[in-house]
Amino acid sequence: GWREPRHSRRSSFTSALLVMRSMTASGRICAPARKFPLVRPSRALGVAPRASQGRALEPGDLVLVAGATGGVGQLVTAKLLERGFSVRALDRARTNRSRAAQLFPGAAVEVFPADLRDRSTMLGLTDGVAAVCCCTGTTAFPSSRWEGENGPRNTDWVGTSNLIDSTSSTIKRFVLVTSVGVERFTEFPFSILNLFGVLKYKRDSELHLQSSGLSYTIIRPGRLTDGPYTSFDLNTLLQATAGARQDVQLSARDDQRGEASRIAVAEAVVQSLLLPSTCNRYYSICSTVGEGPGKDTAKWETLFSSCDATEAST
């Protein structure tokens, strides 16, 4: 998600455009030649019938975490290990190093080198997994993170769609982390965030997952605060924290604006795996002032249930 104080939105937008135009004119931003092919999903886009309630994970189940070296992904991995699950961390093939292995030394983490943009590297990636947590992402605006064709299209559409298509329908859950604003990317201020298509591609991946036949949960966080700070955004620059905003505000609609603590988002991902009632649901999440549910599954179940009840009554 993305939000600025009302009085500064227009000026920020203008400044951003001027900076990007300057970078384009200087040749610092260019459209690289397409290396990764346009995805032709094997499962037709559309809305699949809502399946029956999903199955909860059990201790010892193997969970694949895509984006395990990112901010939310690191926390999801740690929380899964803490609860006794086994984790397969997807780490893009690198020469003589593995970021995932560095982050979780000695932990029961199986590192799987693969590039989601290239299906030929993904053979066996989802074999034996009980669930998939997709926490991948890139910056909304051009940055060094885009080097090597890591822009929104390849990250939020090509890679995510390849992962969905390679996942067996027998898994207990596929949890996808996207963003608030994915259904409002033509509206201000989300239209600014979507200048390079990040929200549109996230929404396309949501629809692809929904039509895939997999049991899914989609988590849509607001602008991320709290570490690990791996993103190239304003909150990372300011080292923004949730502070007193430890409580969680959930919605079954894409109707929220604001910030979301990475800690709360990661907890929502893990809790959704523990609760069958969250199967085939969308949840927007932001942080608000208060104590919050922490790691209490009963409190999270109440939050999720209240959110669903509100949606059902409208």
Side-chain angles (χ1 to χ4, degrees), residues 34-82:
R34 180 174 291 170
K35 175 182 177 182
F36 301 100
L38 180 66
V39 171
R40 305 289 184 186
S42 59
R43 300 179 176 113
L45 284 174
V47 178
R50 178 164 286 181
S52 58
Q53 284 197 346
R55 295 169 290 160
L57 263 66
E58 300 175 0
D61 276 349
L62 176 62
V63 181
L64 170 66
V65 180
T69 61
V72 172
Q74 288 183 45
L75 294 171
V76 167
T77 299
K79 288 176 177 292
L80 288 170
L81 293 171
E82 182 181 50

Side-chain angles (χ1 to χ4, degrees), residues 135-147:
C135 309
T136 55
T138 189
T139 56
F141 301 103
S143 72
S144 61
R145 288 279 293 274
W146 284 26
E147 294 177 1

Side-chain angles (χ1 to χ4, degrees), residues 62-66 88-92 110-132 159 162-164 166-168 174:
L62 176 62
V63 181
L64 170 66
V65 180
R88 176 178 295 162
L90 189 153
D91 197 5
R92 186 176 300 171
E110 172 194 347
V111 178
F112 194 109
D115 187 335
L116 292 182
R117 302 167 303 176
D118 184 352
R119 292 179 180 177
S120 68
T121 70
M122 297 169 59
L123 298 178
L125 174 63
T126 60
D127 289 355
V129 302
V132 175
N162 283 342
L163 181 58
I164 292 168
S166 68
T167 300
S168 169
F174 191 115

Side-chain angles (χ1 to χ4, degrees), residues 89-268:
L90 189 153
D91 197 5
R92 186 176 300 171
R94 295 179 171 91
T95 304
N96 298 323
R97 69 187 185 93
S98 167
R99 175 64 174 158
Q102 295 170 357
L103 288 170
F104 306 102
V109 176
E110 172 194 347
V111 178
F112 194 109
D115 187 335
L116 292 182
R117 302 167 303 176
D118 184 352
R119 292 179 180 177
S120 68
T121 70
M122 297 169 59
L123 298 178
L125 174 63
T126 60
D127 289 355
V129 302
V132 175
C133 296
C134 184
C135 309
T136 55
T138 189
T139 56
F141 301 103
S143 72
S144 61
R145 288 279 293 274
W146 284 26
E147 294 177 1
E149 299 188 52
N150 292 315
R153 177 188 170 276
N154 282 333
T155 301
D156 291 305
W157 169 240
V158 174
T160 304
S161 297
N162 283 342
L163 181 58
I164 292 168
D165 288 345
S166 68
T167 300
S168 169
S169 60
T170 61
I171 66 163
K172 296 179 179 180
R173 196 73 60 86
F174 191 115
V175 182
L176 174 62
V177 180
T178 59
S179 173
V180 299
V182 289
E183 295 186 55
R184 297 172 287 169
F185 61 80
T186 61
E187 303 173 15
F188 185 84
F190 301 105
S191 56
I192 299 175
L193 185 64
N194 192 58
L195 281 173
F196 292 88
V198 65
L199 294 179
K200 175 191 177 298
Y201 291 126
K202 287 181 184 292
R203 179 57 176 159
D204 288 345
S205 291
E206 288 185 352
L207 293 172
H208 190 47
L209 176 59
Q210 188 177 359
S211 67
S212 68
L214 301 174
S215 297
Y216 67 86
T217 303
I218 294 172
I219 305 294
R220 297 165 164 174
R223 187 174 62 190
L224 296 169
T225 64
D226 289 327
Y229 298 102
T230 61
S231 301
F232 289 39
D233 58 14
L234 180 61
N235 281 344
T236 296
L237 178 64
L238 299 177
Q239 299 286 286
T241 63
R245 298 185 298 276
Q246 297 299 315
D247 206 354
V248 172
Q249 179 175 296
L250 288 179
S251 174
R253 299 178 176 181
D254 182 23
D255 57 4
Q256 294 205 56
R257 297 187 184 190
E259 300 174 348
S261 167
R262 284 182 174 87
I263 300 169
V265 174
E267 189 65 31

